Amino acid sequence: MPRPSRESYGDQKPPYSYISLTAMAIFNSTEKMLPLSDIYKFITDRFPYYRKNTQRWQNSLRHNLSFNDCFIKVPRRPDRPGKGAYWALHPQAFDMFENGSLLRRRKRFKLHKSDKDILSDDLAALANINRFFFTPQIVDHPHLHQHHIIPSVPHVDPPIHQPAITTDTTQTDIFRPKRSFTIESLITPDKDSVSSNDDLDKNDSEEYFLKQRKLLIESHQRPLPPLHTITSASTRLPAFLHYPSTSLNQINYDITMHPLLMMTGPLGGLHPSYYQNLTAAVHHGANNNESGGS
DNA sequence: CTCTAACTCAATG
DNA sequence: CATTGAGTTAGAG
């Protein structure tokens, strides 16, 4: 029989703020981002206290998501229907529990307006990229036709293979573009290789991508994602924002290209104190129905 | 005690 | 579900 587990705090209010509860939920997820409903679920599963008065605290929690810059609303991928967006943690907010308290931070995590603008631009670009690459009609373009570049909407979610968060990762295989991604390099590839040869080496995904992009731009069939945002390196969200891969390499390539989706380092730049505090708290609450093993 | 993060209520989109 | 504002509560130093 599952021991009531003192870590779930029974009917008592757990000593965590909504912000830390939400951070736990997100951090605990494999993708490091969750829709609202799953955040609710995480909390109610672990802490009985929150199985009551749901309307009240859930409203408060939503308020926190919107109000605090430490939470980022990631647009839902079109091939993943569902309600609401995904919520992720801003990487720069990892040290927000510096003082070791999961109840009240020393300072509120707030982004400057310019950073917020950049971030929202990037996220908008991401949404556009998604919409763009998951829209089947685009296949009509003559140049693109043969290349299985543009997918029909994928129906399955392939398992995400994220590097398990182990003790450390000295070198993660992070994808990085071999050259800088400026507007110029995208629109006017400096290499004659692309423009001169019509028959691209399909193993060179970068070249392939550039060619593809060029054709799409020329086609004018639908708005392209604002490419300039792709070069903004100021807001680099680590891999936990990484959308699960699909079997569609070209899409992966494009999406991976976005700075929002690039890994910044081991544990995504996780601050040690954050890691310790949160994992401790998560494991605390996680022992609800443990004790017998599942 | 002060300062301000966190919470609540609630209107609005 | 998401955003915003305003007023209240309460934790940290």
Side-chain angles (χ1 to χ4, degrees):
Chain A
M1 156 184 176
R3 181 177 60 243
S5 165
R6 3 173 163 56
E7 284 77 23
S8 61
Y9 302 95
D11 292 329
Q12 298 311 303
K13 184 172 186 173
Y16 308 120
S17 64
Y18 292 131
I19 292 183
S20 49
L21 286 172
T22 305
M24 287 178 211
I26 294 174
F27 179 75
N28 188 248
S29 69
T30 42
E31 298 178 77
K32 306 307 174 200
M33 61 178 187
L34 287 178
L36 227 208
S37 54
D38 286 350
I39 298 176
Y40 293 159
K41 186 171 187 304
F42 175 93
I43 295 174
T44 52
D45 278 356
R46 285 180 171 66
F47 306 107
Y49 174 84
Y50 290 107
R51 308 216 251 251
K52 296 179 303 181
N53 300 317
T54 54
Q55 189 51 55
R56 191 162 99 232
W57 69 262
Q58 291 183 352
N59 183 31
S60 291
L61 192 140
R62 284 197 303 276
H63 182 278
N64 274 282
L65 286 173
S66 292
F67 182 73
N68 289 98
D69 291 344
C70 55
F71 299 118
I72 301 165
K73 192 177 66 177
V74 182
R76 188 180 277 270
R77 248 174 52 173
D79 65 323
R80 267 200 198 188
K83 13 68 183 189
Y86 280 83
W87 291 94
L89 295 167
H90 195 293
Q92 292 172 20
F94 278 151
D95 59 348
M96 64 182 173
F97 297 116
E98 258 173 337
N99 58 346
S101 171
L102 292 172
L103 210 49
R104 190 189 206 265
R105 298 114 99 209
R106 195 174 81 272
K107 285 182 74 70
R108 197 171 254 158
F109 177 79
K110 222 59 190 172
L111 250 33
H112 290 138
K113 188 185 181 300
S114 53
D115 288 331
K116 264 197 263 192
D117 290 342
I118 293 172
L119 179 56
S120 62
D121 278 356
D122 285 349
L123 288 166
L126 180 55
N128 282 335
I129 290 174
N130 285 339
R131 186 155 40 75
F132 183 78
F133 280 100
F134 285 96
T135 304
Q137 299 99 296
I138 195 67
V139 174
D140 292 341
H141 194 281
H143 295 292
L144 299 173
H145 190 51
Q146 290 292 325
H147 298 288
H148 72 278
I149 301 169
I150 306 301
S152 51
V153 177
H155 30 290
V156 189
D157 278 341
I160 180 170
H161 48 291
Q162 234 184 354
I165 296 180
T166 47
T167 45
D168 91 293
T169 329
T170 14
Q171 182 59 19
T172 38
D173 6 43
I174 309 162
F175 170 82
R176 292 193 186 288
K178 284 129 201 155
R179 65 172 141 167
S180 61
F181 263 72
T182 60
I183 304 181
E184 298 73 45
S185 69
L186 285 173
I187 297 181
T188 12
D190 49 354
K191 295 298 199 299
D192 38 327
S193 53
V194 173
S195 48
S196 64
N197 197 347
D198 221 2
D199 210 23
L200 289 173
D201 178 9
K202 296 187 177 51
N203 293 322
D204 188 339
S205 46
E206 180 180 353
E207 198 173 328
Y208 199 51
F209 170 78
L210 293 177
K211 174 67 173 178
Q212 185 189 151
R213 177 134 256 141
K214 185 165 179 279
L215 293 175
L216 291 173
I217 290 172
E218 291 168 356
S219 75
H220 286 72
Q221 289 196 341
R222 69 191 61 240
L224 277 176
L227 290 181
H228 69 281
T229 64
I230 292 180
T231 62
S232 63
S234 54
T235 53
R236 298 207 151 188
L237 305 190
F240 51 67
L241 260 190
H242 188 88
Y243 282 15
S245 298
T246 69
S247 56
L248 305 157
N249 291 326
Q250 293 306 321
I251 290 183
N252 291 341
Y253 191 76
D254 187 30
I255 290 179
T256 315
M257 195 79 69
H258 197 282
L260 281 177
L261 305 175
M262 286 183 176
M263 175 95 77
T264 57
L267 298 181
L270 205 59
H271 189 284
S273 67
Y274 172 89
Y275 179 78
Q276 288 160 11
N277 289 339
L278 273 194
T279 48
V282 167
H283 290 152
H284 256 204
N287 296 328
N288 253 344
N289 49 5
E290 184 237 349
S291 89
S294 55

